[in-house]
Amino acid sequence: MTTIGILGAGQAGSTLARASIAAGYDVVIANSRAPETLQELVAQLGPRARAAYAAQAAAAADIAVTAFPYRPTDRLPGEELAGKVVLDTNNYMSWRDGNYPDVDSGLKTIHELRQEQLPASKVAKAFTHIQFHERSEIRVPGDLLPAVFRLARPAGAADRKALVVSSDYPEAVEVVTRFYNDLGFDAVDNSPLSESWRSAPGTPMWRHHVDGQSRAELVKNLQRAQRVLR
């Protein structure tokens, strides 16, 4: 059984844990404090989840997830994550994170910086344009569900949505594609990481992040993106 190791137990991390368990995965989740602080969350998630320290979650992971914003001072369990696919769910939002000149100038993307933090891992940008909370305007009861549940559809469904994956490693793209499929989404490969700006906030595809877009629509919107440098 595949284990998802989630580093970060906020809204994104805890919701992705729920979705992973619903899709048949085991989950080990960690926060910046101690496992004991996650007892209530783990009880809600059920027997397929357990809490651990970050290094323990990384060591147990078949697939790891970083569910927190990038910071250059982050101390990540690089040794435990070596050789593993690491899904980075972060978006660059300067109003929240401050400005990083390399990103602002177009020299690098935020996910390339994450890859530099984890040089022995295979980083993939994933789950960055799907909401882990309820819809901002509730129209019907189903809108109370986080979009990762609300928009999920079985393979072949006419209204199935697609999500972007970007990586410098084809094997990481394959892992994310399978993971997306298990959770109810198609995948669009927008590799390498240097191209991941095409799915950043403010781009044409981002305007559809609330209710999603089909694979064909997503491909078209990625192609329409134009880079704005600061």
Side-chain angles (χ1 to χ4, degrees):
M1 185 60 63
T2 301
T3 297
I4 308 297
I6 301 178
L7 309 183
Q11 190 166 55
S14 59
T15 303
L16 188 55
R18 287 174 51 206
S20 300
I21 291 168
Y25 291 88
D26 292 331
V27 166
V28 182
I29 190 166
N31 60 13
S32 59
R33 300 186 298 280
E36 297 77 38
T37 64
L38 296 173
Q39 288 181 345
E40 183 177 349
L41 173 62
V42 169
Q44 294 171 355
L45 292 173
R48 301 194 74 152
R50 65 183 176 90
Y53 288 102
Q56 295 170 331
D62 296 306
I63 304 169
V65 178
T66 54
F68 50 86
Y70 167 88
R71 297 181 187 87
T73 56
D74 285 337
R75 297 179 62 185
L76 303 181
E79 183 176 347
E80 290 82 1
L81 292 173
K84 297 183 179 183
V85 173
V86 178
L87 280 57
D88 186 19
T89 67
N90 176 51
N91 283 303
Y92 177 46
M93 298 180 179
S94 58
W95 58 266
R96 178 193 65 189
D97 307 327
N99 289 92
Y100 299 125
D102 282 352
V103 179
D104 291 341
S105 67
L107 181 63
K108 296 177 182 178
T109 66
I110 200 72
H111 304 284
E112 288 178 288
L113 294 180
R114 182 75 86 192
Q115 179 66 78
E116 291 178 3
Q117 283 186 325
L118 296 168
S121 301
K122 302 170 184 179
V123 171
K125 176 180 184 178
F127 293 104
T128 59
H129 60 105
I130 187 165
Q131 295 178 330
F132 292 105
H133 52 77
E134 65 185 33
R135 196 179 187 280
S136 56
E137 179 184 355
I138 306 300
R139 309 158 302 177
V140 296
D143 287 347
L144 293 168
L145 292 172
V148 71
F149 289 101
R150 174 172 59 86
L151 301 180
R153 299 291 187 275
D159 59 344
R160 201 180 209 214
K161 309 302 183 183
L163 301 176
V164 165
V165 53
S166 301
S167 180
D168 294 339
Y169 297 91
E171 57 269 39
V173 173
E174 292 176 5
V175 166
V176 175
T177 298
R178 290 194 297 270
F179 192 27
Y180 278 169
N181 183 64
D182 288 343
L183 268 62
F185 299 90
D186 289 335
V188 171
D189 183 2
N190 180 51
S191 296
L193 288 175
S194 60
E195 287 292 297
S196 61
W197 61 269
R198 293 181 178 274
S199 56
T203 57
M205 59 77 63
W206 184 263
R207 296 165 195 162
H208 304 274
H209 74 281
V210 174
D211 292 319
Q213 55 208 298
S214 69
R215 192 180 195 285
E217 291 168 336
L218 182 50
V219 169
K220 181 179 179 180
N221 285 325
L222 288 168
Q223 293 172 342
R224 292 174 53 216
Q226 295 184 351
R227 201 165 200 172
V228 178
L229 304 180
R230 302 176 189 174

